[in-house]
Amino acid sequence: QVQLQESGPGLLKPSQTLSLTCTVFGRSITIKYSYWSWVRQSPGKGLEWMGAIGYSGSAYISPSLKSRTSISRDTSKNQFTLQLSSVTPGDTAVYYCAARPLAGGSVYTVTFLDCWGQGTQVTVSS
């Protein structure tokens, strides 16, 4: 059984860089099976797919966030990390890490995500 757990700061000031880590239990992130993704949900809005990293380390980033976002991994810790720079109050959201199988449609969607972390609240405020 695969489990994901997000960790990171809950409160940032505008212009800072958000760094969130997802620790994966029950499956190696290097196995050719899954995309490992980041999704967020702002107050009153739907789920927003932010990006993903594949088993080979290839990263896929939402075009709307590409200038501020990077996703990396630490295979020795079975973790993958989201970095979002120059945050604003508009980045206030619950952030989730999630996983999906390689098979299926486009990676640039929340549609095929089938395993989720519990989510972590991130608030950007001065």
Coordinates of all heavy atoms in Angstrom, one line a residue, residues 73-122:
R73 N 13.8 15.5 -6.8 CA 13.7 14.3 -5.9 C 15.0 13.9 -5.2 O 16.0 14.3 -5.7 CB 13.2 13.1 -6.8 CG 14.2 12.7 -7.8 CD 13.7 11.5 -8.6 NE 14.7 11.0 -9.5 CZ 14.6 9.8 -10.2 NH1 13.5 9.1 -10.1 NH2 15.6 9.4 -11.0
D74 N 14.8 13.2 -4.1 CA 15.9 12.6 -3.4 C 15.6 11.1 -3.3 O 14.9 10.7 -2.5 CB 16.1 13.2 -2.0 CG 17.3 12.7 -1.3 OD1 17.8 11.6 -1.6 OD2 17.7 13.4 -0.4
T75 N 16.2 10.3 -4.2 CA 15.9 8.9 -4.3 C 16.4 8.2 -3.0 O 15.8 7.1 -2.7 CB 16.5 8.3 -5.5 OG1 18.0 8.5 -5.5 CG2 15.9 8.9 -6.8
S76 N 17.4 8.7 -2.4 CA 18.0 8.0 -1.2 C 17.0 8.1 0.0 O 17.0 7.2 0.9 CB 19.3 8.6 -0.7 OG 19.1 10.0 -0.3
K77 N 16.1 9.1 -0.1 CA 15.1 9.3 1.0 C 13.7 8.9 0.5 O 12.7 9.1 1.2 CB 15.1 10.7 1.5 CG 16.4 11.1 2.2 CD 16.3 12.5 2.7 CE 17.6 12.9 3.4 NZ 17.6 14.4 3.8
N78 N 13.6 8.6 -0.8 CA 12.3 8.3 -1.4 C 11.3 9.5 -1.3 O 10.2 9.3 -0.8 CB 11.6 7.0 -0.9 CG 10.9 6.3 -2.0 OD1 11.3 6.2 -3.1 ND2 9.7 5.7 -1.6
Q79 N 11.8 10.7 -1.6 CA 11.1 11.9 -1.5 C 11.1 12.7 -2.8 O 12.1 12.6 -3.5 CB 11.7 12.8 -0.4 CG 11.6 12.2 1.0 CD 12.4 13.1 2.0 OE1 13.3 13.8 1.7 NE2 11.9 13.0 3.3
F80 N 10.1 13.5 -3.0 CA 10.2 14.5 -4.1 C 9.7 15.8 -3.5 O 8.9 15.9 -2.5 CB 9.4 14.0 -5.3 CG 7.9 13.8 -5.1 CD1 7.0 14.7 -5.6 CD2 7.4 12.6 -4.5 CE1 5.6 14.5 -5.4 CE2 6.1 12.4 -4.4 CZ 5.2 13.4 -4.8
T81 N 10.2 16.9 -4.1 CA 10.1 18.2 -3.5 C 9.5 19.2 -4.5 O 10.0 19.2 -5.7 CB 11.5 18.7 -3.0 OG1 11.9 17.8 -2.0 CG2 11.4 20.1 -2.4
L82 N 8.7 20.0 -4.1 CA 8.1 21.2 -4.8 C 8.8 22.4 -4.3 O 8.8 22.7 -3.1 CB 6.6 21.3 -4.7 CG 5.9 22.5 -5.2 CD1 5.8 22.4 -6.7 CD2 4.6 22.7 -4.6
Q83 N 9.2 23.3 -5.3 CA 9.7 24.6 -4.9 C 8.9 25.6 -5.8 O 8.8 25.5 -7.0 CB 11.2 24.8 -5.1 CG 12.0 24.0 -4.1 CD 13.4 24.6 -4.0 OE1 14.1 24.8 -5.0 NE2 13.9 24.8 -2.7
L84 N 8.3 26.6 -5.1 CA 7.5 27.7 -5.7 C 8.1 29.0 -5.3 O 8.0 29.3 -4.1 CB 6.0 27.5 -5.4 CG 5.1 28.5 -6.0 CD1 5.0 28.3 -7.5 CD2 3.7 28.4 -5.3
S85 N 8.6 29.7 -6.2 CA 9.3 31.0 -5.8 C 8.4 32.2 -5.9 O 7.3 32.1 -6.5 CB 10.5 31.2 -6.7 OG 10.1 31.4 -8.1
S86 N 8.8 33.2 -5.3 CA 8.1 34.5 -5.3 C 6.6 34.4 -5.0 O 5.7 34.8 -5.7 CB 8.2 35.2 -6.7 OG 9.6 35.3 -7.1
V87 N 6.3 33.7 -3.9 CA 4.9 33.5 -3.5 C 4.2 34.8 -3.2 O 4.8 35.8 -2.8 CB 4.8 32.5 -2.3 CG1 5.4 31.1 -2.7 CG2 5.5 33.1 -1.1
T88 N 2.9 34.7 -3.4 CA 2.0 35.8 -3.1 C 0.8 35.3 -2.3 O 0.7 34.1 -2.2 CB 1.5 36.5 -4.4 OG1 0.5 35.6 -5.0 CG2 2.6 36.8 -5.4
P89 N 0.0 36.2 -1.8 CA -1.2 35.6 -1.1 C -2.1 34.7 -2.0 O -2.8 33.9 -1.5 CB -1.9 36.9 -0.7 CG -0.8 37.9 -0.5 CD 0.2 37.6 -1.6
G90 N -2.0 34.9 -3.3 CA -2.7 34.1 -4.2 C -2.3 32.6 -4.2 O -2.9 31.8 -4.8
D91 N -1.1 32.4 -3.6 CA -0.6 31.0 -3.6 C -1.1 30.3 -2.3 O -0.7 29.1 -2.1 CB 0.9 31.0 -3.6 CG 1.5 31.4 -5.0 OD1 1.0 30.9 -6.0 OD2 2.3 32.3 -5.0
T92 N -1.9 31.0 -1.5 CA -2.4 30.4 -0.3 C -3.4 29.2 -0.7 O -4.3 29.4 -1.5 CB -3.2 31.4 0.5 OG1 -2.3 32.4 1.0 CG2 -4.0 30.7 1.7
A93 N -3.1 28.0 -0.2 CA -3.9 26.9 -0.6 C -3.5 25.7 0.3 O -2.6 25.7 1.0 CB -3.5 26.5 -2.1
V94 N -4.3 24.6 0.1 CA -3.9 23.3 0.6 C -3.1 22.6 -0.5 O -3.6 22.5 -1.6 CB -5.1 22.5 1.0 CG1 -4.6 21.1 1.5 CG2 -5.9 23.2 2.1
Y95 N -1.9 22.2 -0.2 CA -1.1 21.5 -1.2 C -1.0 20.0 -0.9 O -0.9 19.6 0.2 CB 0.3 22.1 -1.1 CG 0.5 23.5 -1.6 CD1 -0.1 24.6 -1.0 CD2 1.1 23.7 -2.9 CE1 0.0 25.9 -1.5 CE2 1.2 25.0 -3.4 CZ 0.6 26.1 -2.7 OH 0.7 27.3 -3.3
Y96 N -1.2 19.3 -2.0 CA -1.2 17.8 -1.9 C -0.1 17.2 -2.8 O 0.1 17.7 -3.9 CB -2.6 17.3 -2.4 CG -3.8 17.7 -1.7 CD1 -4.5 18.8 -2.1 CD2 -4.3 17.0 -0.6 CE1 -5.7 19.2 -1.4 CE2 -5.5 17.4 0.1 CZ -6.1 18.5 -0.4 OH -7.3 18.9 0.3
C97 N 0.4 16.2 -2.3 CA 1.2 15.3 -3.2 C 0.3 14.1 -3.5 O -0.5 13.7 -2.7 CB 2.6 14.9 -2.7 SG 2.6 14.1 -1.1
A98 N 0.5 13.6 -4.7 CA -0.3 12.5 -5.2 C 0.4 11.7 -6.2 O 1.4 12.1 -6.8 CB -1.6 13.1 -5.8
A99 N -0.1 10.5 -6.5 CA 0.5 9.6 -7.4 C -0.5 9.0 -8.4 O -1.7 9.0 -8.1 CB 1.2 8.4 -6.7
R100 N 0.0 8.6 -9.5 CA -0.9 8.0 -10.5 C 0.0 7.0 -11.3 O 1.2 7.2 -11.4 CB -1.5 9.0 -11.5 CG -0.4 9.9 -12.1 CD -0.9 10.6 -13.4 NE -0.9 9.6 -14.5 CZ -1.3 9.9 -15.7 NH1 -1.7 11.1 -16.0 NH2 -1.3 9.0 -16.7
P101 N -0.7 6.0 -12.0 CA 0.1 5.1 -12.8 C 0.6 5.9 -14.1 O 0.0 6.9 -14.5 CB -1.0 4.1 -13.2 CG -2.0 4.2 -12.2 CD -2.1 5.7 -11.8
L102 N 1.6 5.3 -14.7 CA 2.1 5.8 -16.0 C 1.1 5.7 -17.1 O 0.9 6.6 -17.9 CB 3.4 5.1 -16.4 CG 4.6 5.3 -15.5 CD1 5.8 4.5 -16.1 CD2 5.0 6.7 -15.4
A103 N 0.4 4.6 -17.1 CA -0.6 4.4 -18.1 C -1.8 5.4 -18.0 O -2.2 5.8 -16.9 CB -1.1 2.9 -18.1
G104 N -2.4 5.7 -19.1 CA -3.5 6.6 -19.1 C -3.2 7.8 -20.0 O -2.3 7.8 -20.8
G105 N -3.9 8.9 -19.7 CA -3.8 10.1 -20.6 C -2.7 11.0 -20.1 O -1.7 10.6 -19.4
S106 N -2.9 12.3 -20.5 CA -1.9 13.3 -20.2 C -1.5 13.4 -18.7 O -2.3 13.2 -17.9 CB -2.4 14.6 -20.7 OG -1.6 15.7 -20.2
V107 N -0.2 13.7 -18.5 CA 0.2 13.8 -17.1 C -0.2 15.2 -16.6 O -0.3 15.4 -15.3 CB 1.8 13.7 -17.0 CG1 2.4 14.9 -17.7 CG2 2.2 13.6 -15.6
Y108 N -0.6 16.1 -17.4 CA -0.9 17.5 -17.0 C -2.4 17.6 -16.5 O -3.1 18.5 -17.0 CB -0.7 18.4 -18.2 CG 0.8 18.6 -18.6 CD1 1.4 17.7 -19.4 CD2 1.5 19.6 -18.1 CE1 2.7 17.8 -19.8 CE2 2.9 19.8 -18.5 CZ 3.4 18.8 -19.3 OH 4.7 19.0 -19.7
T109 N -2.8 16.7 -15.7 CA -4.2 16.7 -15.2 C -4.2 16.0 -13.9 O -3.4 15.2 -13.5 CB -5.1 16.0 -16.2 OG1 -6.4 15.9 -15.7 CG2 -4.6 14.6 -16.5
V110 N -5.3 16.3 -13.1 CA -5.5 15.6 -11.8 C -6.3 14.3 -12.0 O -6.5 13.6 -11.1 CB -6.2 16.5 -10.8 CG1 -5.4 17.8 -10.5 CG2 -7.6 16.9 -11.3
T111 N -6.8 14.1 -13.3 CA -7.8 13.1 -13.5 C -7.4 11.7 -13.1 O -8.2 11.0 -12.5 CB -8.1 13.1 -15.0 OG1 -8.6 14.4 -15.4 CG2 -9.2 12.0 -15.3
F112 N -6.1 11.3 -13.3 CA -5.7 10.0 -13.1 C -5.0 9.7 -11.8 O -4.5 8.6 -11.5 CB -4.8 9.5 -14.3 CG -5.5 9.7 -15.6 CD1 -5.1 10.7 -16.5 CD2 -6.5 8.8 -16.0 CE1 -5.7 10.8 -17.7 CE2 -7.2 9.0 -17.2 CZ -6.8 10.0 -18.1
L113 N -5.0 10.7 -11.0 CA -4.3 10.6 -9.6 C -5.2 9.7 -8.8 O -6.4 9.9 -8.6 CB -4.1 12.0 -9.0 CG -3.2 12.9 -9.7 CD1 -3.3 14.3 -9.2 CD2 -1.8 12.4 -9.6
D114 N -4.5 8.7 -8.2 CA -5.3 7.7 -7.4 C -4.8 7.4 -6.0 O -5.3 6.6 -5.3 CB -5.4 6.3 -8.2 CG -4.0 5.7 -8.4 OD1 -3.0 6.3 -7.9 OD2 -3.9 4.6 -9.0
C115 N -3.8 8.2 -5.6 CA -3.3 8.0 -4.3 C -2.8 9.4 -3.8 O -2.0 10.1 -4.5 CB -2.1 7.0 -4.3 SG -1.4 6.7 -2.6
W116 N -3.3 9.9 -2.7 CA -3.1 11.2 -2.2 C -2.6 11.3 -0.8 O -2.9 10.4 0.0 CB -4.5 12.0 -2.2 CG -5.1 12.2 -3.6 CD1 -5.7 11.2 -4.4 CD2 -5.2 13.4 -4.3 NE1 -6.1 11.8 -5.5 CE2 -5.8 13.1 -5.5 CE3 -4.8 14.7 -4.1 CZ2 -6.1 14.1 -6.5 CZ3 -5.0 15.7 -5.0 CH2 -5.7 15.4 -6.2
G117 N -1.8 12.3 -0.6 CA -1.4 12.6 0.8 C -2.6 13.3 1.4 O -3.6 13.6 0.8
Q118 N -2.4 13.6 2.7 CA -3.5 14.2 3.5 C -3.6 15.7 3.2 O -4.7 16.3 3.5 CB -3.3 14.0 5.0 CG -2.1 14.7 5.5 CD -1.9 14.4 7.0 OE1 -2.5 13.5 7.5 NE2 -1.0 15.1 7.6
G119 N -2.6 16.3 2.6 CA -2.6 17.7 2.3 C -2.0 18.6 3.4 O -2.1 18.2 4.6
T120 N -1.4 19.7 3.1 CA -0.9 20.6 4.0 C -1.3 22.0 3.7 O -1.2 22.4 2.5 CB 0.7 20.4 4.1 OG1 1.2 21.2 5.2 CG2 1.4 20.8 2.8
Q121 N -1.7 22.8 4.7 CA -2.1 24.2 4.5 C -0.9 25.0 4.4 O 0.0 25.0 5.2 CB -3.0 24.6 5.6 CG -3.4 26.1 5.6 CD -4.3 26.4 4.4 OE1 -5.3 25.7 4.2 NE2 -4.0 27.5 3.7
V122 N -0.9 25.9 3.3 CA 0.2 26.9 3.2 C -0.5 28.2 3.1 O -1.4 28.4 2.2 CB 1.0 26.6 1.9 CG1 2.0 27.8 1.7 CG2 1.8 25.3 2.1

